[in-house]
Amino acid sequence: MKEQEIEREKREDKEYVINLLKLIMLEIRTPKTRRAKRAIEKRAPKLVENGKKTLILLGTKTSNVLNAILTEIYHLKKNDSVKYSRRNDNIRPFESGGEASLEFFSLKTDCSLFVFGSHSKKRPNNLVMGRTYDHHIYDLVEVGVENFKSMDSFSYDKKLAPQIGSKPFFAFIGEGFESEEELKHLKEVLLDLFRGQVVSNLSLVGLDRVYVCTAVSSNKVFFTHCALRLKRSGTVVPRMELVEVGPSMDLLVRRHRLPDESLRKETMKIAPELTKKKVGEKVLPNKAKGVKRERREAKLKGEAKKQKQDS
């Protein structure tokens, strides 16, 4: 048994070194063609970053339920996600050394969000959701999925089906999202995962879906996806009705890992070019000069008018 454990540790160390070398090769690769140069420039830091993409990966073993969940998450995020069907034996997000492969795939696909699915007797139907910063693990939330219902199990008018790429509403119901650390963290990750592209202006017609998250207990959330039906209300604002279109599931928080405080502060930094200057820092026009000039002009006009009347 000891010899097998030693061999397994050697194999894991070898895989870890190989993945590190792959990361280094990706980072130092120099472009040889214009196409490669454009691809590298696209990934370079920007004042306004590109929209976040999601990486969807499978573990060593998965269940039919878990495969359906990952497929439907991919469908909901089809425009900005990458899904790998190959199983990964050496990805273990919460273990030391088990993150190298995940970070490699994040760098390779330029994804800053990820969903990793695995299934075991100890943790059945297990989902690990997380975010990366500079393609290194930023934070992690592990949930177990229960009572899953796929989109195909809901019957409704297909004309109401949300369009791919449309913007969603979010409804977080329950005090747990404000008081429980696990649920507060899960809320942050779910918002980042499903909110889509950041926009400045939005038409009401483009809001055709809502994600409803209900805190059932201190570590359990009911998650469902609904379509919005707009009806006449007799006013300018239409009346909205929710039609459940799926998927729906219970999310049981198992483990989570918050980012280091120093790393959190670093991610919150804003480029000086994007910060608005305070009023006290702006160079205001000299209004006093303008007022004096207006007074002089008015005085000259008054004198000219008086001379004209005297003559």
Side-chain angles (χ1 to χ4, degrees):
M1 290 295 292
K2 288 184 178 180
E3 292 179 357
Q4 291 178 355
E5 289 179 2
I6 292 170
E7 287 297 324
R8 182 175 59 82
E9 289 177 359
K10 286 182 179 179
R11 187 169 61 254
E12 289 177 355
D13 291 341
K14 185 179 178 181
E15 289 174 353
Y16 179 68
V17 172
I18 290 171
N19 286 322
L20 280 179
L21 289 173
K22 287 180 180 179
L23 280 172
I24 294 168
M25 289 172 67
L26 277 175
E27 289 177 349
I28 64 174
R29 185 179 295 173
T30 56
K32 295 181 180 179
T33 62
R34 290 183 179 180
R35 183 179 177 183
K37 186 177 181 181
R38 286 196 300 269
I40 289 178
E41 288 175 352
K42 189 178 179 180
R43 295 187 179 192
K46 304 175 182 64
L47 287 176
V48 180
E49 290 290 347
N50 302 329
K52 294 181 178 180
K53 292 197 301 181
T54 302
L55 175 64
I56 301 174
L57 293 166
L58 303 176
T60 307
K61 185 180 178 182
T62 57
S63 63
N64 292 332
V65 170
L66 201 58
N67 291 334
I69 292 169
L70 294 174
T71 300
E72 297 205 352
I73 291 175
Y74 174 68
H75 178 76
L76 292 171
K77 297 179 58 64
K78 199 166 186 178
N79 283 349
D80 54 0
S81 63
V82 178
K83 184 175 183 292
Y84 283 166
S85 57
R86 184 179 177 182
R87 301 186 184 279
N88 298 274
D89 300 332
N90 52 349
I91 294 181
R92 295 174 296 278
F94 282 91
E95 297 180 21
S96 178
E99 301 175 350
S101 290
L102 187 56
E103 292 174 348
F104 167 73
F105 287 122
S106 170
L107 179 61
K108 182 180 178 181
T109 57
D110 195 25
C111 291
S112 55
L113 298 162
F114 65 86
V115 179
F116 175 72
S118 61
H119 180 76
S120 65
K121 187 176 180 180
K122 186 178 180 181
R123 292 188 174 89
N125 299 326
N126 200 57
L127 282 181
V128 179
M129 299 174 286
R131 298 175 285 185
T132 64
Y133 175 68
D134 194 21
H135 301 296
H136 295 289
I137 301 299
Y138 177 73
D139 61 353
L140 298 166
V141 176
E142 183 184 66
V143 297
V145 179
E146 299 175 350
N147 304 320
F148 170 72
K149 292 182 181 179
S150 68
M151 289 188 279
D152 294 334
S153 63
F154 292 89
S155 58
Y156 58 93
D157 185 357
K158 298 305 178 182
K159 293 180 181 179
L160 296 173
Q163 299 298 311
I164 294 174
S166 61
K167 291 291 289 183
F169 278 116
F170 281 89
F172 289 93
I173 304 168
E175 295 180 358
F177 290 112
E178 302 299 328
S179 58
E180 300 294 335
E181 188 178 82
E182 293 88 347
L183 299 191
K184 286 168 68 176
H185 190 197
L186 179 63
K187 177 182 175 180
E188 285 184 17
V189 175
L190 288 175
L191 279 171
D192 247 2
L193 185 63
F194 290 106
R195 70 175 180 174
Q197 302 292 331
V198 178
V199 295
S200 55
N201 296 310
L202 185 65
S203 170
L204 187 62
V205 181
L207 293 166
D208 61 357
R209 68 175 75 192
V210 57
Y211 292 103
V212 182
C213 302
T214 307
V216 180
S217 66
S218 60
N219 66 338
K220 190 174 184 178
V221 171
F222 172 66
F223 173 92
T224 189
H225 179 221
C226 300
L228 285 175
R229 177 187 289 171
L230 302 180
K231 288 197 168 186
R232 293 180 181 179
S233 62
T235 64
V236 179
V237 181
R239 182 166 59 89
M240 293 186 178
E241 288 186 358
L242 298 184
V243 180
E244 196 170 11
V245 296
S248 74
M249 64 195 94
D250 290 329
L251 302 177
L252 183 65
V253 181
R254 289 171 173 162
R255 292 183 291 180
H256 76 119
R257 191 177 78 193
L258 292 167
D260 183 74
E261 190 60 31
S262 59
L263 180 60
R264 182 189 286 272
K265 289 180 179 178
E266 186 179 346
T267 60
M268 295 296 179
K269 288 181 180 178
I270 301 174
E273 294 86 347
L274 296 177
T275 55
K276 294 181 179 179
K277 291 184 177 180
K278 296 179 181 177
V279 177
E281 297 176 357
K282 289 184 178 179
V283 179
L284 300 174
N286 192 345
K287 293 185 178 180
K289 291 182 180 180
V291 172
K292 289 180 180 178
R293 184 174 64 253
E294 289 174 2
R295 287 176 180 174
R296 285 198 303 269
E297 290 175 356
K299 187 177 180 181
L300 290 172
K301 286 181 181 179
E303 291 176 353
K305 188 176 181 181
K306 187 178 181 182
Q307 288 178 1
K308 191 174 181 180
Q309 289 175 352
D310 291 342
S311 60

